[in-house]
Amino acid sequence: MRDAEPSGGEDVDVVVIGGSFAGLQAALTLGRACRRVVVLDDGRPRNARASHVHNFLGHHDPAPAVLQEAARTHVGDYDVSLESDRVARVEPAATDRLTVTSQDGRTWQTRALLLATGLDDELPDVPGVSDLWGEDVVACPHCHGWEVRDEPLAQLGFRGMPARGVERALLLSRWSQDVVLLTDGDELDTTHHARLRAAGVTVDTRRVRRLVHEDGRLQTVEFAEGTALPRRAVFVVTRQHQQTDLARLLGCDHVEDGPAACAVVTDAKGRTSVRGVWAAGTTTQPALLAIGAAGHASTVAVALNNDLLEQDLQAATSAADRVRP
Ligand SMILES: Cc1cc2nc3c(=O)[nH]c(=O)nc-3n(C[C@H](O)[C@H](O)[C@H](O)COP(=O)(O)OP(=O)(O)OC[C@H]3O[C@@H](n4cnc5c(N)ncnc54)[C@H](O)[C@@H]3O)c2cc1C
C-alpha cells in the first residue's frame, strides 16, 4: 500500500464494513470491550431473498429483517454507530491509520478495518432458478433441508463443475430418499455414479430447459426435450464472489481455487495479509451458516481487541523509555 496524507474524518478504534451477521456480532463484541466502532452497511445480506433464517439457536426461524433489526437495536446499546452507506474506498493515511470513505463522501480514520462484506451467489443459468431463489430454490440443506424433508427433491449442478453437484446431492440424500441429481448435460465418472447409487440418488444428465412455477411455487423441472419432473424444491450449486472488491484493491491475498475460491485469506486470528485489515464471516469462510459467521466474527473481534491493546502497550512502553533519563 502506498502512503497518503491524513484526510480528516472521525478517528475511531475500528471500522467494520458489512453490518450483517458477522459485522454486527463483531461490533457487539468490540462495543462491549469499550471500543468506538463504526459499521457501514449497504443492506444486501446474502440471505436477503429468503423468508426465514433457519438453524439459528434460540431463534425460531425469524424473517431475516426481523433478526437484523434485533441485532441493530442490540449494538445500539454501545458506542457503535451504524451507517447505511456503501464504502467506496479505503486508503492508507498516517503510518498506523486507514481512511475509509463512503459513497456519499464521508470519511473515518481508523487503526483497524474489519471486512465483513460477505459473498454474492452466481446461480446456475437456468430460467426459473433466479425467480424462486430463497424459497423453493435454495443452496444449503443444513439451512433449508428440514422444511422439505422426505419430499421429492432435485439437486441441480452448475455446468462445468460436476463434482460439486455430486457432493451436494450426496449431502441432500440425508433429508430425502427421493433425490434426483440434475447434471444439466455434464457427464459423471464411474466413482461418482457408484457413490450416488450407494446413497440412493438418481442421476439425470439431460439438459434442463427451465423450472416451471406458479404463484411463486415450484411445479416441475422441464427438460430440453420437453418432459417434466415434479419436484417440491430444487437445491442448487452456486459460484461465489466477494460482494465488494475492497479486499483486492487493498492487496489482500485471496484463495484462488477450490470450493473456497474467492475467500479472503487470513491467519487463525482473522488478520489478512495487509496490516491493519482483518476479515470475518463468509468473506473469509464461504461455507459458514449465519450463526457460524457471527461466531467467527466474535472470535476475530476478541483477537482484534487484544491486538489494539498490545499496540497501545508497546506505544506506552516506548514513550516511557524515551522520557527515562
Ligand atoms: C438464499 C439463502 C438463504 C440462506 N438461509 C440461511 C439460513 O436459513 N440459515 C443460515 O444459517 N444461513 C443461511 N444462509 C447463509 C447466510 O446468509 C450467511 O451465512 C450469512 O448471511 C453470512 O453473513 P455475513 O455477515 O458473513 O455476510 P452477509 O450476510 O452477506 O453480509 C455482508 C454485508 O456486507 C455489506 N457490504 C458488502 N460490501 C459492502 C460495502 N462496500 N460497503 C458497505 N456494506 C457492504 C452487504 O450489504 C451485507 O449486508 C442463506 C444464504 C442464502 C443465499
Side-chain angles (χ1 to χ4, degrees), residues 297-322:
S298 177
T299 304
V300 171
V302 167
L304 200 168
N305 182 49
N306 288 338
D307 190 76
L308 292 179
L309 173 64
E310 194 52 42
Q311 287 178 30
D312 290 340
L313 290 174
Q314 281 177 16
T317 312
S318 314
D321 286 348
R322 277 197 300 275

Side-chain angles (χ1 to χ4, degrees), residues 18 20 22 41-42 44 46-47 54 87 117 143-144 282 288-290:
S20 180
D41 184 79
D42 68 349
R44 295 177 301 115
R46 186 167 171 202
N47 63 342
H54 301 293
V87 171
T117 42
C143 298
H144 302 281
T282 50
L288 289 175
L289 303 190

Side-chain angles (χ1 to χ4, degrees), residues 93-98 110-112 275 311:
T95 42
D96 63 346
R97 290 283 187 284
L98 294 160
T110 187
R111 270 196 289 166
R275 187 165 172 266
Q311 287 178 30

Side-chain angles (χ1 to χ4, degrees), residues 9 40 82-85 99-108:
L40 289 120
L82 300 178
E83 304 292 345
S84 298
D85 203 351
T99 302
V100 177
T101 306
S102 72
Q103 224 156 34
D104 72 3
R106 289 175 297 161
T107 59
W108 291 265

Side-chain angles (χ1 to χ4, degrees), residues 16 98 112-113 211 304:
V16 178
L98 294 160
L113 178 73
L211 304 188
L304 200 168

